[in-house]
Structure formats: C-alpha cells, structure tokens
Amino acid sequence: VPATKAPRFDFRPAVPDVSMFPRRAWLRSVRQAIGSATDADLGYGDPRGVETLRRALADYLGRVRGVVADPARTVVTSGYTQSEGLVCRALAAAGARRIALEDPSDPEQRETAARAGLEVVPVGVDEGGIRVDELERTRADAVVVGPAHQFPTGAVMAGERRSELLAWLRSSDAIAIEDDYDAEYRYDRAPVGALQGLEPGRVVYAGSASKTLAPALRLGWLVLPAELVDAVGHEKHLADRGTARIEQYAFADFLARGELDRHLRRMRVRYRARRDALVDALHEAMPEVEVEGIAAGLHVTARLTDTDDERAIVDEAARRGIALESLDDYRTAPGSGSPTLLVGYGQSADSAIRPGIARLAEAIEAARGRA
Ligand SMILES: Cc1ncc(COP(=O)(O)O)c(C=O)c1O
C-alpha cells in the first residue's frame, strides 16, 4: 500500500483506535502537570523518570497485572522499543552474549537486540507460547517473551509452560524480558497475571502506552530486578537523559485520576464488539479459513488453506484497498508455517468490517485463481 494513500479498509494488526484517545482527560492532566510543575521539575531530573509517575505505575501494575512493583525498580522509558534496547545493552555490558526471541515476532525486536551487541537466537512458538524445550538448547543468557498474548500468534502461555520457563531461567541463570504490550485487552475473562509476579528477580517487566492509549505518547515502563536498576538507569541517561518530563507528570495525574482504567473499560467493550463482528464476517465470507487465538488484543489470526499463498493474498488485497499483514512478515524463515493472515480491528470502523471482509474474500479468490 503506498504510504501516501490511506487504505480503504485498514486491517493492519498493530494499531489501536486512536480516534478514541481521551483527549479531554489528557488535556486536563497536561494542564495540571504544567500548572503545578516547580522550576526544579523543569530540569533534567532522574533519568529513570519522575517519582510521582513511578509510584503511580507501581500501584497500577500491582493492581491490574499482578506485577511485584516498587517505584525504586521502575524506570519510565519512551516505549517498549526503547525499553528492550536499554535492557539488552545493560545485559550486554554485564557480559550477556546471546538472547532468544520468539519466532514469529516483530523483526525489529530482533534487530534491537542485535544492535545492542547480543547474538539473537530464534525460538519457536506453539499454542502454549514459547517452546521451552527449544529454548533449553540455545544456551541463551536472556529471552524475550509475550506470555499474556504473544505477538503475532496470539498464544497465551499456559501455567505449565510458565513453570517450565521459570525453571529454565533459574537453571540457566538467565533473565526474561516480558513484553506485556496489550495484556489489558482480554475480552473473555480477566487477563492472566504477569509472569514477572512469579519471579521478580529474573523477569524484567516491560509495558507500553502504545496499545492502551496511543503510540504518539511514546511512553513505556520497566519494572526491573534490583541488580539491573543502576545499569538500565545508566543506559537511559546515555540514551536521552530521561523521557519528556511534562508528559510524565501528566501521565501520573491521568493514572491517579483513574482515567486509564476508565479508558480501558470503554475500549474493551468497543474492541470486543468489533472482534465478534470480524470473526462472524470471516466465518461467513470464508468458511474454509480458521480463526485462531483467544479473544484478546487488537487482531485475529486467520489460518488459510495449506495451498494458499499468503503473500500473494496480501498483495492482491493491497491492490483492492485493503491493508493487512501475514504471519510471514514476522517469521525468520518465510514460508515455514501454515499460511496465515493477521487481521486487525483497531483501526477499522464498525461499519467497515463486513464490507472489508467481503472484499478480502474476493481478493483471496482472485489470488487463488491466479495461482
Ligand atoms: C509486540 C509489541 N510489543 C510492543 C509494542 C509497543 O512498542 P512501543 O511501546 O515502542 O510503541 C508493539 C507495538 O506495535 C508490539 O507490536
């Protein structure tokens, strides 16, 4: 899809519905932040973030995600992407050499780890999350996982798999980075708690406002094992001397007022309805396609038939004004698994779901006809 032309039907998987950004509540918090900031608050301050936000985050994460959080071990960052880079650099500086990443996962996560000087080893993912049996063969010093809702497969790490992973962390003296980017969006039940809550000394918790509020905020956070706090704080200082502080004060106020909870309650209802509509439309228009994964997040994975060419389908869809992605965009070895589309509903207006999916079905038929 040309960057200059917005797709008519936007089913990209990673984008939230920013049209619902709580502008008024955020503005109120920004006003409050600027109005009450002292002269000292306008200096550089602690690169790990402003104290009021670290306290508010520790409260929120303990309450909502079961994170064992403490403001002294909490670092505010400019998003998950920066968080991963900071932790990888801190680990590399302490002697780590190798890091395992889920396959499939965002290739930029692999690149971020590699740029920090770590050797990246891909490890497979099944319905239960990362394959710990494969992980055991890597001799990695660290691993990145998405236990609550792995991106892009949508797998949830089940209890037994969590125990195996924690046993591996202990026996290998390794660290896990937990990417908890969209865990608040679970529609069928309360989300599973964070892995970090089970082993706070070996799991780095990483969260982000990009899915819950908007990517434009560039706000993320880490809750670290005590031994990593100074090293990550130093990396953060070297990276940018700290995330924009006025936004941090604003976010602290926003959290303290319960605005994030309120926004999430509203969005869960909306996304759940949209997901249901999308799943119904997919079943109706393409009964041969299997919708996989739990009722969570901002996209569904739709498994095509084995003879389908997922790239040809994505290209054909783009020609017809439909933007979406396929699992191959995230695999280290394209073509190595069942052809699967990633169909996002964050950006798609409710009224566009049915016609968009009908059009996608036409694109699939056309791609099949050409094969
Ligand atoms: C798997 C995953 N983790 C984390 C993020 C959030 O990254 P950031 O906080 O840098 O915007 C994203 C955003 O698309 C993502 O897809």
Side-chain angles (χ1 to χ4, degrees), residues 195-251:
L195 183 74
Q196 190 269 4
L198 305 174
E199 191 79 31
R202 295 209 170 272
V203 180
V204 170
Y205 178 88
S208 169
S210 290
K211 301 294 162 126
T212 50
L213 285 163
L217 290 176
R218 306 316 303 138
L219 280 170
W221 42 90
L222 288 163
V223 181
L224 296 157
E227 310 79 69
L228 280 173
V229 172
D230 287 347
V232 171
H234 183 59
E235 292 298 335
K236 178 64 179 159
H237 176 74
L238 294 178
D240 57 11
R241 297 196 175 192
T243 289
R245 293 172 77 82
I246 298 202
E247 279 72 8
Q248 291 190 59
Y249 287 114
F251 190 33

Coordinates of all heavy atoms in Angstrom, one line a residue, residues 195-251:
L195 N 3.9 -12.6 34.2 CA 4.9 -13.6 34.6 C 5.9 -13.1 35.7 O 6.3 -13.8 36.6 CB 5.8 -14.0 33.3 CG 6.8 -15.0 33.4 CD1 6.2 -16.4 33.5 CD2 7.8 -15.0 32.2
Q196 N 6.1 -11.8 35.5 CA 7.0 -11.1 36.5 C 6.6 -11.3 37.9 O 7.5 -11.5 38.8 CB 7.1 -9.6 36.2 CG 8.2 -8.8 36.9 CD 7.7 -8.3 38.2 OE1 6.5 -8.5 38.6 NE2 8.5 -7.5 38.9
G197 N 5.3 -11.4 38.2 CA 4.8 -11.6 39.5 C 5.2 -12.9 40.2 O 5.2 -13.0 41.4
L198 N 5.6 -13.9 39.3 CA 6.0 -15.2 39.8 C 7.5 -15.2 40.1 O 8.0 -16.1 40.9 CB 5.7 -16.3 38.8 CG 4.2 -16.3 38.4 CD1 4.0 -17.4 37.3 CD2 3.3 -16.7 39.6
E199 N 8.3 -14.3 39.5 CA 9.8 -14.4 39.6 C 10.4 -13.0 39.4 O 11.1 -12.8 38.4 CB 10.3 -15.4 38.6 CG 11.7 -15.8 38.7 CD 12.0 -16.9 39.8 OE1 11.1 -17.7 40.1 OE2 13.1 -16.8 40.4
P200 N 10.1 -12.1 40.3 CA 10.5 -10.7 40.0 C 12.0 -10.5 40.0 O 12.5 -9.5 39.5 CB 9.9 -9.9 41.2 CG 9.4 -10.9 42.2 CD 9.3 -12.3 41.5
G201 N 12.8 -11.5 40.5 CA 14.3 -11.4 40.4 C 14.9 -11.8 39.1 O 16.0 -11.6 38.9
R202 N 14.0 -12.4 38.2 CA 14.6 -12.9 37.0 C 13.8 -12.4 35.8 O 14.1 -12.7 34.6 CB 14.5 -14.4 36.9 CG 15.4 -15.1 37.9 CD 15.9 -16.4 37.4 NE 16.9 -16.9 38.3 CZ 18.2 -16.6 38.2 NH1 18.6 -15.9 37.2 NH2 19.1 -17.0 39.1
V203 N 12.7 -11.7 36.0 CA 11.8 -11.3 34.9 C 11.8 -9.7 34.9 O 11.5 -9.1 35.9 CB 10.4 -11.8 35.0 CG1 9.6 -11.3 33.8 CG2 10.4 -13.3 35.0
V204 N 12.2 -9.2 33.7 CA 12.0 -7.7 33.5 C 10.7 -7.5 32.9 O 10.3 -8.1 31.9 CB 13.1 -7.2 32.5 CG1 12.8 -5.8 32.1 CG2 14.5 -7.4 33.1
Y205 N 9.8 -6.7 33.6 CA 8.5 -6.4 33.1 C 8.6 -5.2 32.2 O 9.1 -4.2 32.6 CB 7.5 -6.2 34.2 CG 6.2 -5.8 33.8 CD1 5.2 -6.8 33.5 CD2 5.8 -4.5 33.5 CE1 4.0 -6.5 33.0 CE2 4.5 -4.2 33.0 CZ 3.6 -5.2 32.8 OH 2.4 -4.9 32.3
A206 N 8.0 -5.3 31.0 CA 8.0 -4.1 30.1 C 6.6 -3.8 29.6 O 6.0 -4.7 29.0 CB 8.9 -4.4 28.9
G207 N 6.1 -2.6 29.8 CA 4.8 -2.2 29.4 C 4.9 -1.0 28.5 O 6.0 -0.4 28.3
S208 N 3.8 -0.6 27.9 CA 3.7 0.5 26.9 C 2.3 1.1 26.9 O 1.3 0.4 27.1 CB 4.1 -0.1 25.5 OG 3.8 0.9 24.5
A209 N 2.3 2.4 26.6 CA 1.0 3.1 26.4 C 0.6 3.0 24.9 O -0.5 3.5 24.6 CB 1.1 4.5 26.8
S210 N 1.4 2.4 24.1 CA 1.1 2.5 22.6 C -0.2 1.8 22.2 O -0.9 2.2 21.3 CB 2.2 1.9 21.8 OG 3.4 2.7 21.9
K211 N -0.6 0.7 22.9 CA -1.8 0.0 22.5 C -3.0 0.5 23.4 O -4.1 0.6 22.9 CB -1.7 -1.5 22.8 CG -0.6 -2.2 22.0 CD -0.9 -2.1 20.5 CE 0.4 -2.3 19.7 NZ 0.4 -3.3 18.8
T212 N -2.7 0.8 24.6 CA -3.8 1.2 25.5 C -4.3 2.6 25.3 O -5.4 2.9 25.4 CB -3.4 1.0 27.0 OG1 -2.2 1.7 27.2 CG2 -3.3 -0.4 27.4
L213 N -3.3 3.5 24.9 CA -3.7 4.9 24.7 C -3.4 5.3 23.2 O -4.3 5.5 22.4 CB -3.0 5.8 25.7 CG -3.6 5.7 27.1 CD1 -2.7 6.3 28.2 CD2 -4.9 6.5 27.1
A214 N -2.1 5.6 23.0 CA -1.7 6.0 21.6 C -0.2 5.8 21.4 O 0.5 6.2 22.3 CB -2.1 7.4 21.3
P215 N 0.2 5.3 20.3 CA 1.7 5.3 20.1 C 2.4 6.6 20.1 O 3.5 6.8 20.5 CB 1.8 4.7 18.6 CG 0.5 4.0 18.4 CD -0.5 4.7 19.2
A216 N 1.6 7.7 19.8 CA 2.2 9.0 19.8 C 2.7 9.5 21.1 O 3.6 10.4 21.2 CB 1.2 10.1 19.2
L217 N 2.2 8.9 22.2 CA 2.7 9.4 23.5 C 4.1 9.0 23.7 O 4.8 9.7 24.5 CB 1.8 8.7 24.6 CG 0.4 9.2 24.8 CD1 -0.3 8.4 25.8 CD2 0.4 10.7 25.1
R218 N 4.6 8.0 23.1 CA 6.0 7.4 23.3 C 6.2 7.3 24.8 O 7.1 7.9 25.4 CB 7.1 8.3 22.7 CG 6.9 8.6 21.2 CD 6.5 7.3 20.4 NE 7.4 6.2 20.5 CZ 7.0 4.9 20.6 NH1 5.7 4.6 20.7 NH2 7.9 3.9 20.7
L219 N 5.4 6.5 25.5 CA 5.6 6.2 26.9 C 5.6 4.7 27.1 O 4.7 4.0 26.6 CB 4.4 6.8 27.7 CG 4.5 8.3 28.0 CD1 3.2 8.8 28.6 CD2 5.7 8.6 29.0
G220 N 6.6 4.3 27.9 CA 6.7 2.9 28.2 C 7.3 2.8 29.6 O 7.6 3.8 30.2
W221 N 7.4 1.6 30.2 CA 7.9 1.5 31.5 C 8.5 0.1 31.7 O 8.1 -0.9 31.1 CB 6.8 1.7 32.6 CG 5.5 1.1 32.3 CD1 5.0 -0.1 32.6 CD2 4.4 1.7 31.5 NE1 3.8 -0.3 32.1 CE2 3.4 0.8 31.4 CE3 4.3 2.9 30.8 CZ2 2.2 1.0 30.7 CZ3 3.1 3.2 30.1 CH2 2.1 2.2 30.1
L222 N 9.4 0.1 32.7 CA 10.1 -1.2 33.0 C 10.0 -1.4 34.5 O 10.1 -0.4 35.3 CB 11.6 -1.1 32.7 CG 12.0 -1.2 31.2 CD1 13.4 -0.7 31.0 CD2 11.8 -2.6 30.7
V223 N 9.8 -2.6 35.0 CA 10.0 -3.0 36.4 C 11.1 -4.0 36.4 O 11.0 -5.0 35.7 CB 8.7 -3.5 37.0 CG1 9.0 -3.8 38.5 CG2 7.6 -2.5 36.9
L224 N 12.2 -3.7 37.0 CA 13.4 -4.4 36.9 C 13.8 -5.2 38.1 O 13.5 -4.8 39.3 CB 14.6 -3.4 36.6 CG 14.5 -2.6 35.3 CD1 15.3 -1.3 35.4 CD2 15.0 -3.5 34.2
P225 N 14.5 -6.3 38.0 CA 15.2 -6.9 39.1 C 16.2 -5.9 39.7 O 16.8 -5.1 38.9 CB 16.0 -8.1 38.5 CG 15.3 -8.4 37.2 CD 14.8 -7.0 36.7
A226 N 16.4 -5.9 41.0 CA 17.2 -4.9 41.7 C 18.6 -4.7 41.1 O 19.1 -3.6 40.9 CB 17.3 -5.2 43.2
E227 N 19.2 -5.8 40.7 CA 20.6 -5.8 40.2 C 20.7 -5.0 38.8 O 21.8 -4.6 38.4 CB 21.2 -7.2 39.9 CG 21.1 -8.2 41.0 CD 19.7 -8.8 41.0 OE1 19.3 -9.5 40.1 OE2 18.9 -8.4 42.0
L228 N 19.6 -4.9 38.1 CA 19.6 -4.2 36.8 C 19.3 -2.7 36.9 O 19.5 -2.0 35.9 CB 18.7 -4.9 35.8 CG 19.2 -6.2 35.2 CD1 18.1 -6.9 34.4 CD2 20.4 -6.0 34.3
V229 N 18.8 -2.2 38.0 CA 18.3 -0.9 38.0 C 19.4 0.2 37.7 O 19.2 1.0 36.8 CB 17.7 -0.6 39.4 CG1 17.3 0.9 39.5 CG2 16.5 -1.4 39.7
D230 N 20.5 0.1 38.3 CA 21.6 1.1 38.0 C 22.0 1.0 36.6 O 22.2 2.0 35.9 CB 22.8 0.9 39.0 CG 22.4 1.3 40.4 OD1 21.4 2.0 40.6 OD2 23.2 1.0 41.3
A231 N 22.3 -0.2 36.1 CA 22.8 -0.4 34.7 C 21.7 0.2 33.7 O 22.1 0.9 32.7 CB 23.1 -1.8 34.4
V232 N 20.5 -0.1 33.9 CA 19.5 0.3 32.9 C 19.3 1.8 33.1 O 19.1 2.6 32.1 CB 18.1 -0.4 33.1 CG1 17.0 0.2 32.3 CG2 18.3 -1.9 32.7
G233 N 19.3 2.3 34.3 CA 19.3 3.8 34.5 C 20.4 4.5 33.8 O 20.2 5.6 33.2
H234 N 21.6 3.9 33.8 CA 22.7 4.5 33.2 C 22.5 4.5 31.6 O 22.8 5.5 31.0 CB 24.0 3.7 33.5 CG 25.2 4.3 32.9 ND1 25.7 5.6 33.2 CD2 26.1 3.7 32.1 CE1 26.8 5.8 32.5 NE2 27.1 4.7 31.8
E235 N 22.0 3.4 31.1 CA 21.7 3.3 29.7 C 20.7 4.4 29.3 O 20.7 5.0 28.2 CB 21.2 1.9 29.3 CG 22.3 0.8 29.3 CD 23.5 1.0 28.4 OE1 23.3 1.7 27.4 OE2 24.6 0.5 28.8
K236 N 19.7 4.5 30.2 CA 18.6 5.5 29.9 C 19.2 6.9 29.9 O 18.9 7.8 29.0 CB 17.5 5.4 30.9 CG 16.4 6.4 30.8 CD 15.6 6.2 29.5 CE 14.5 7.2 29.4 NZ 14.0 7.5 28.1
H237 N 20.1 7.2 30.8 CA 20.8 8.5 30.9 C 21.6 8.8 29.6 O 21.5 9.8 29.0 CB 21.7 8.6 32.1 CG 22.5 9.8 32.2 ND1 22.0 11.0 32.5 CD2 23.8 10.1 31.9 CE1 22.9 12.0 32.5 NE2 24.0 11.4 32.1
L238 N 22.3 7.7 29.1 CA 23.1 7.9 27.9 C 22.2 8.0 26.7 O 22.5 8.7 25.7 CB 24.0 6.7 27.7 CG 25.1 6.5 28.7 CD1 25.9 5.2 28.4 CD2 26.1 7.7 28.8
A239 N 21.1 7.4 26.7 CA 20.2 7.4 25.5 C 19.6 8.8 25.3 O 19.5 9.3 24.2 CB 19.1 6.3 25.7
D240 N 19.0 9.3 26.4 CA 18.3 10.6 26.2 C 18.1 11.4 27.5 O 17.3 12.4 27.5 CB 16.9 10.4 25.6 CG 16.1 9.4 26.4 OD1 16.4 9.1 27.5 OD2 15.0 9.0 25.8
R241 N 18.8 11.1 28.6 CA 18.7 11.7 29.9 C 17.3 11.7 30.4 O 16.9 12.6 31.2 CB 19.2 13.2 29.8 CG 20.7 13.3 29.4 CD 21.2 14.6 29.7 NE 22.7 14.5 29.5 CZ 23.5 15.5 29.8 NH1 23.1 16.5 30.5 NH2 24.8 15.3 29.6
G242 N 16.5 10.8 29.9 CA 15.1 10.7 30.5 C 14.0 11.1 29.5 O 14.2 11.9 28.6
T243 N 12.9 10.4 29.7 CA 11.7 10.7 28.8 C 11.1 12.0 29.2 O 11.2 12.5 30.3 CB 10.7 9.5 29.1 OG1 11.3 8.3 28.5 CG2 9.4 9.8 28.5
A244 N 10.5 12.7 28.2 CA 9.9 14.0 28.4 C 9.1 14.1 29.7 O 8.2 13.3 29.9 CB 9.0 14.3 27.2
R245 N 9.5 15.0 30.5 CA 9.0 15.0 31.9 C 7.6 15.6 32.1 O 6.9 15.2 33.0 CB 10.0 15.7 32.8 CG 11.3 14.9 32.9 CD 12.4 15.6 33.7 NE 12.3 15.6 35.1 CZ 12.6 14.5 35.9 NH1 13.2 13.4 35.4 NH2 12.5 14.6 37.2
I246 N 7.3 16.6 31.3 CA 5.9 17.1 31.4 C 4.9 16.0 31.1 O 3.9 15.9 31.8 CB 5.8 18.4 30.5 CG1 6.8 19.4 30.9 CG2 4.3 18.9 30.5 CD1 6.7 20.8 30.7
E247 N 5.2 15.2 30.1 CA 4.3 14.1 29.8 C 4.2 13.1 30.9 O 3.2 12.5 31.2 CB 4.7 13.4 28.5 CG 4.3 14.1 27.2 CD 5.0 15.4 26.9 OE1 6.0 15.7 27.6 OE2 4.6 16.0 26.0
Q248 N 5.4 13.0 31.6 CA 5.4 12.0 32.7 C 4.5 12.5 33.9 O 3.8 11.7 34.5 CB 6.8 11.8 33.2 CG 7.7 11.1 32.3 CD 9.0 10.7 33.0 OE1 9.0 10.0 34.0 NE2 10.1 11.2 32.4
Y249 N 4.6 13.8 34.2 CA 3.7 14.4 35.2 C 2.3 14.2 34.8 O 1.4 13.9 35.6 CB 4.1 15.8 35.5 CG 5.4 16.0 36.2 CD1 6.5 16.6 35.7 CD2 5.5 15.6 37.6 CE1 7.6 16.8 36.3 CE2 6.7 15.7 38.2 CZ 7.8 16.3 37.6 OH 8.9 16.4 38.3
A250 N 2.0 14.5 33.5 CA 0.6 14.4 33.0 C 0.1 12.9 33.2 O -1.0 12.7 33.6 CB 0.6 14.8 31.6
F251 N 1.0 12.0 32.8 CA 0.6 10.6 32.9 C 0.3 10.2 34.3 O -0.6 9.4 34.6 CB 1.6 9.7 32.2 CG 1.2 8.3 32.0 CD1 -0.2 8.0 31.7 CD2 2.1 7.2 32.0 CE1 -0.6 6.6 31.5 CE2 1.7 5.9 31.8 CZ 0.4 5.6 31.5

